[in-house]
Amino acid sequence: MITKLSDIKPLVARGRGNPASALAEIRLLAASDQWQTREVAATALVEIGKLHPTAVAREALVWAADSDPNIRRAASKGLRGIVKQAPELVWPVLEQLRADPVLYVRKSVANILRNASGRYPHEVLARCRKWVELRDANTSWIVNDGLRKVRATHPADVEAILNAASSDAS
């Protein structure tokens, strides 16, 4: 069983040199029944994304359409480093996952919003404003959870967004 990144060190090294040479194998790890292996797969994406953010984001967009929720979650979770540096690469993936029916995936999307909110609070707030207009319960859940961190720095904005979401739910 793969439980730590060092277990796949050669695969990550190959991916750092040429992402396309490793992404298919990482996808197989992301589909594992073992949660530790899935976490390692997402971390491998983060590591490769440090050198190749566009390639990882492009692959994550493909994974975000997969029928396997483990693959969709890896698509989101693997972007946690990229979102802090180049959020514009991440938004298309989050758009695709914003109404995911699986809580496991939605939690990851909300976490990526929280990761982005430290450096890009206005972009996160704008995205969440658009999302609550869609009147989708799964999306509203992500917005509510994803805004937890930015609530401290932009309380009025967050309150307005959450009020819009709750009025849509009623």
Side-chain angles (χ1 to χ4, degrees):
M1 177 174 30
I2 295 169
T3 61
K4 53 192 179 295
L5 195 59
S6 61
D7 292 339
I8 60 165
K9 192 174 183 177
L11 178 61
V12 173
R14 188 169 12 111
R16 285 181 178 147
N18 176 8
S21 72
L23 292 171
E25 288 177 66
I26 293 169
R27 186 190 175 286
L28 290 174
L29 296 174
S32 172
D33 290 337
Q34 301 293 318
W35 70 267
Q36 300 97 326
T37 302
R38 293 191 305 264
E39 291 299 307
V40 170
T43 302
L45 287 178
V46 171
E47 289 302 312
I48 294 167
K50 289 177 182 177
L51 295 176
H52 304 281
T54 303
V56 170
R58 190 174 23 243
E59 186 71 10
L61 190 59
V62 173
W63 292 12
D66 198 280
S67 62
D68 183 342
N70 293 328
I71 301 293
R72 295 194 310 272
R73 180 179 179 268
S76 171
K77 191 165 178 71
L79 298 174
R80 66 183 183 267
I82 296 170
V83 76
K84 294 177 184 180
Q85 304 302 322
E88 68 281 358
L89 296 175
V90 172
W91 297 137
V93 178
L94 299 188
E95 274 300 325
Q96 193 159 332
L97 295 172
R98 66 147 182 81
D100 201 278
V102 178
L103 180 60
Y104 179 59
V105 177
R106 291 195 311 267
K107 285 182 178 183
S108 180
V109 174
N111 188 49
I112 296 300
L113 288 175
R114 286 192 303 277
N115 288 344
S117 68
R119 287 191 181 166
Y120 306 100
H122 298 290
E123 288 89 340
V124 170
L125 290 165
R127 177 110 5 221
C128 289
R129 273 188 206 96
K130 289 180 189 174
W131 284 2
V132 296
E133 292 173 5
L134 301 172
R135 296 180 173 89
D136 177 84
N138 293 332
T139 304
S140 293
W141 189 96
I142 290 170
V143 167
N144 186 46
D145 197 58
L147 290 176
R148 286 188 324 201
K149 194 173 183 181
V150 77
R151 188 175 281 136
T153 55
H154 296 80
D157 292 318
V158 171
E159 190 66 29
I161 291 168
L162 296 180
N163 284 340
S166 66
S167 69
D168 289 342
S170 53

